[in-house]
Every structure is written in C-alpha cells, then in structure tokens.
Amino acid sequence: MMRMNKGKLCIWAGLVAIYCSHSQTNRLTGSPYSLFGLGIESSSNVGKNAALGGGGFALNNPNAINIRNPASFGTESTNSFVFDIGFLGELSTIQNNTLEENRLASNFSSLSFSANIDEKSTVALAVLPYSDVGYSLLGIESNIEGSFDQFNSNIFGSGALNNFNLSYGRTLFKGLRLGAKISYLFGNVEETEIVQSGISGLTVAETSTYSGVQLGLGLQADLTKHIKYGGAINFPTELSGTQDRTVTKILDFTQSPVESETDIQLEKFELPWEIHNGILINPWKNLFLNFDHSFRAWDITQQQDNIGEFVDQNIFSMGAEFNIDTNGLKYIQRMQFRTGYYYDTGYLSIRGENISSRGISFGIGFPFGRGNSSMLNFSYTNMDRGSTNTILVQENIHSININISLKDIWFLKRKIN
C-alpha cells in the first residue's frame, strides 16, 4: 500500500510560501501594458501547455498536470503522484514610431502537484501568477498648473496577482470526466512616482493589495476513440482591494514626510465569465492535435481604465504533439516534439484599438530514462503584442518556459501493514 509522506508534504507547503513571497519582488514581465488594470495575464504555464499555444482543455494524461481543466484530473490511475516546478524567462523589445528598448524579466513561474484519492479521482494543488506587473515610465514632462514651469516624473510599477488553485477531478463513468476548482487570487501591486522640479521633488509610493475567490467547473468527454472534447467555465467574481499610500518631499536635499495613509478602500475589481472549449484529435498513433477557444465577457463588467476600456476577449489556439515511439529503445524515439499558435483579441481597447497579441511556440519533452514518466519540458514562444498606431507601443517577446515534471519518485514511501 502507498501513502503520502506528511513531512514531505510540509516541505511542498514551504515551497509554496517561498514562491508566493518571492514572486512579489521579482518581475515576470517588462510590458508597459501591465500599467492597465491589475497587469497583463501571465504567460506562465504548467507542464507542456506553453508549447501547445497555451491551450489544452481536452488534454488528459495521468503522467502530467493540466491546470487548464479540472476534469483532466479525473483520468483513471492508481498510486500516482506528480510534482511540477516551472521557470519563465522573457526578453522583450518595445518600440513606437521613434524609439526602441529591450527589457529582460525572469523568475520561477509555477509550483504544482497532484495525487490520487482513488483509482477514479485526483486532487491537485497549484500556485502560479495570474497577472504580472512590471513597467517604468521615464522622463514624463508636465507643466506646473498656472505657470510655464515644467516638472519631470518617473513612474515605476511592479508586482503580481497570484493564483492558488485547488482542483478535483473524477471519472463519472468510462469516457466522461468531471471536475471542479477553487482559486484564491491574491497579491500586491506597487507603484512609485518620483516628481522632480529643480532641486526639490516629491515621491508618491502606493501599495495596493487585492484578494478574492473564483470558482470553476470542467468536463471532458471521449466522443470517439480518436476525438475528445474538453470544456470549462470560470464564474465571475470580485476582488477586494486596499491601499497604503505615503508621500515624501525633498527640499534642499532634505527628505521629510508629507502624508501617510493605510488601508484605503479601493473599488472592487471585477473578473468576468470565462467559457473555454477544446477538441483533442488523435488521427494516428503518437500524433495529437488540439484546438481551443476561450471567451471572456469583460464588456458586461462595465469597467473603465484611465486611458482605455475593457472589451470582450476571444483567444484561439492550436497545437500539435508527436513522438516516434513512447516505449522505443532509442532516446530520440521517446522524446516529445510540440508546436503551437495562438491569437488573442485582447481585453483592453485604447482609442478604439484593441491590444491584441499573437504567438508561435515550439517545444521538446525530454524523458528521464526509459520507462520513466518524469519529464523535462522545454518551450520557446515568440509573441507580438500591440501596435505602433496612435499612442500605442508594439512588443516583440521571446519567452522560454522550463518545467520539470516528476512522477512517482518524490514524497511517496511504502507502508507495510
């Protein structure tokens, strides 16, 4: 009989705590568009999803974690335990009609594990960024009201909204899997504005803290031997927020406090309905094709940003995975080769133009030995976001996702009754 080692489970909980504190101080993005709302949606993924265009709502595999759809954890298996840790690095080039700038951001991106409750159901825990904030606006010139004098401002923002996710999936009967999840969203967004005029200046520092709970349901069905369907719904919710604000002035090189407030109540931030659908096709042995569509109903939240407005969002993605022979004698036969593409219409509109994005991805899965379900997943994505029209900027982003997925070799020990 197998059972989970409780002491080692405490180690995993400690890793989660370290990840959550670390992610608040290290950026996973350098995008100027993270200025809006609560940041841009994180490109972090668990397992192999990043290489498949970010989709995979119909994927189910007892050897891998798929947080896209909680029903994927209903795959029949016994004594299965999977641990996954991820790393994300991004190099972005940002340009408008006249200037170009390079930015680099990287960090650990995810921690997750799943374990069987019985042969038909599995529970999973995951923590990863929900949205990322990391921007800097330098040399903003403004006129002092009532005069021709000017002052310069530099604005810096950082932070992340994290997603602590508990999922449960179960096989209802052969070919039909159901799942549910609860996500606790939490994190801080920090913004510092430094205003300089001559030898005097002003520093305004704001730390906004948000938290809330979101519920979701999932379903997977085997339509035929070679076609599977996956669907998921995330229900709308509101994130509550408070803010700490301090203002400090500098006069004749002497710094002194001006204002300090804590626990300022912020307007609630609404998250919309999310509806996800996916198809997985297995046309011949060891080739899998996935096609996904996601819809987010931002428009009915009627939220506004200082510059733009929130609009309904559609995300289309497709991916392919192939390997020569899962049980082949040669290492290259057991390697998994992946590619994907996605197009995101964007959820923010500025002066009537949506901030859309598109990307193409490639990936390889390196198995750890023969007959071992553990794997090192590597993926590269090239993405474009925005445009150089009007006041917008265009980003070209090169990102690398590395995930180590380990099965049945950690946190388990044999118990003899």
Side-chain angles (χ1 to χ4, degrees):
M1 174 182 177
M2 305 292 287
R3 73 178 181 87
M4 189 177 298
N5 184 319
K6 294 182 179 179
K8 301 252 180 107
L9 181 60
C10 291
I11 295 176
W12 188 91
L15 288 172
V16 170
I18 293 171
Y19 167 86
C20 292
S21 61
H22 189 67
S23 64
Q24 294 299 315
T25 57
N26 291 267
R27 299 187 308 182
L28 273 171
T29 184
S31 172
Y33 291 116
S34 65
L35 168 69
F36 305 106
L38 297 181
I40 61 170
E41 182 183 4
S42 175
S43 55
S44 300
N45 279 278
V46 174
K48 58 187 176 183
N49 297 80
L52 299 173
F57 291 96
L59 294 177
N60 67 299
N61 187 332
N63 299 328
I65 294 176
N66 177 18
I67 62 168
R68 292 299 187 197
N69 189 343
S72 66
F73 297 109
T75 305
E76 294 185 69
S77 181
T78 56
N79 294 331
S80 173
F81 185 97
V82 182
F83 177 84
D84 189 287
I85 184 170
F87 172 86
L88 173 67
E90 287 189 353
L91 174 63
S92 58
T93 300
I94 304 169
Q95 63 181 4
N96 57 20
N97 290 322
T98 57
L99 300 175
E100 183 176 303
E101 179 183 347
N102 293 322
R103 296 182 180 180
L104 178 65
S106 63
N107 200 354
F108 288 104
S109 60
S110 63
L111 284 171
S112 57
F113 84 92
S114 65
N116 288 123
I117 296 176
D118 54 47
E119 65 179 11
K120 291 189 175 183
S121 60
T122 297
V123 65
L125 284 173
V127 57
L128 68 163
Y130 179 84
S131 64
D132 298 316
V133 177
Y135 59 86
S136 53
L137 307 175
L138 306 178
I140 302 174
E141 295 184 352
S142 304
N143 288 324
I144 298 175
E145 187 175 354
S147 74
F148 294 102
D149 295 333
Q150 287 189 328
F151 64 89
N152 292 323
S153 297
N154 295 325
I155 303 175
F156 306 93
S158 63
L161 203 63
N162 297 304
N163 180 357
F164 187 85
N165 183 297
L166 172 63
S167 299
Y168 171 80
R170 183 172 182 84
T171 295
L172 195 62
F173 52 82
K174 189 172 180 62
L176 180 63
R177 298 169 292 279
L178 300 178
K181 69 176 181 178
I182 180 170
S183 299
Y184 176 59
L185 307 176
F186 65 99
N188 299 329
V189 177
E190 300 178 356
E191 181 177 278
T192 301
E193 181 177 6
I194 302 173
V195 181
Q196 193 71 34
S197 179
I199 61 173
S200 61
L202 200 67
T203 300
V204 181
E206 297 175 342
T207 300
S208 302
T209 302
Y210 289 90
S211 63
V213 173
Q214 186 176 44
L215 302 176
L217 298 174
L219 175 148
Q220 288 187 339
D222 299 342
L223 304 181
T224 70
K225 183 179 179 180
H226 301 287
I227 301 176
K228 298 179 181 180
Y229 166 79
I233 295 176
N234 290 335
F235 295 96
T237 189
E238 294 181 338
L239 304 182
S240 302
T242 61
Q243 185 180 91
D244 295 339
R245 186 173 188 267
T246 60
V247 181
T248 306
K249 69 177 181 181
I250 300 175
L251 184 62
D252 296 329
F253 304 104
T254 302
Q255 183 173 308
S256 59
V258 174
E259 177 186 342
S260 179
E261 293 183 85
T262 60
D263 295 328
I264 304 170
Q265 291 297 316
L266 299 176
E267 185 176 348
K268 290 185 177 181
F269 189 88
E270 296 184 50
L271 297 180
W273 281 95
E274 298 182 20
I275 302 173
H276 310 278
N277 292 282
I279 293 290
L280 180 67
I281 302 175
N282 179 206
W284 62 78
K285 186 178 180 180
N286 297 333
L287 175 64
F288 298 89
L289 307 174
N290 63 276
F291 303 89
D292 298 270
H293 171 253
S294 297
F295 172 75
R296 293 172 180 157
W298 285 101
D299 189 55
I300 61 175
T301 66
Q302 296 184 341
Q303 291 187 117
Q304 297 286 329
D305 199 272
N306 292 332
I307 297 178
E309 60 181 359
F310 291 83
V311 294
D312 288 345
Q313 179 183 19
N314 287 279
I315 304 173
F316 305 89
S317 67
M318 55 186 175
E321 179 182 72
F322 172 76
N323 74 294
I324 301 172
D325 184 357
T326 304
N327 300 311
L329 296 176
K330 296 181 179 180
Y331 186 81
I332 193 171
Q333 292 178 310
R334 302 191 303 274
M335 292 170 59
Q336 297 178 356
F337 301 91
R338 309 174 184 122
T339 186
Y341 174 82
Y342 82 93
Y343 173 71
D344 183 350
T345 63
Y347 62 88
L348 185 71
S349 177
I350 299 177
R351 295 188 178 182
E353 183 166 347
N354 285 20
I355 310 302
S356 61
S357 62
R358 62 214 56 81
I360 186 170
S361 56
F362 303 93
I364 301 177
F366 300 94
F368 291 144
R370 187 183 176 194
N372 194 325
S373 300
S374 299
M375 186 164 291
L376 170 66
N377 294 302
F378 174 89
S379 68
Y380 162 79
T381 302
N382 180 242
M383 177 181 70
D384 290 315
R385 180 192 291 129
S387 71
T388 56
N389 296 335
T390 63
I391 63 172
L392 303 181
V393 297
Q394 183 171 0
E395 296 178 275
N396 181 255
I397 301 171
H398 303 272
S399 63
I400 292 176
N401 272 275
I402 300 174
N403 287 84
I404 300 175
S405 183
L406 304 170
K407 181 185 178 182
D408 283 343
I409 62 174
W410 281 3
F411 306 141
L412 294 174
K413 71 180 182 180
R414 189 171 299 275
K415 178 183 177 183
I416 300 175
N417 291 326

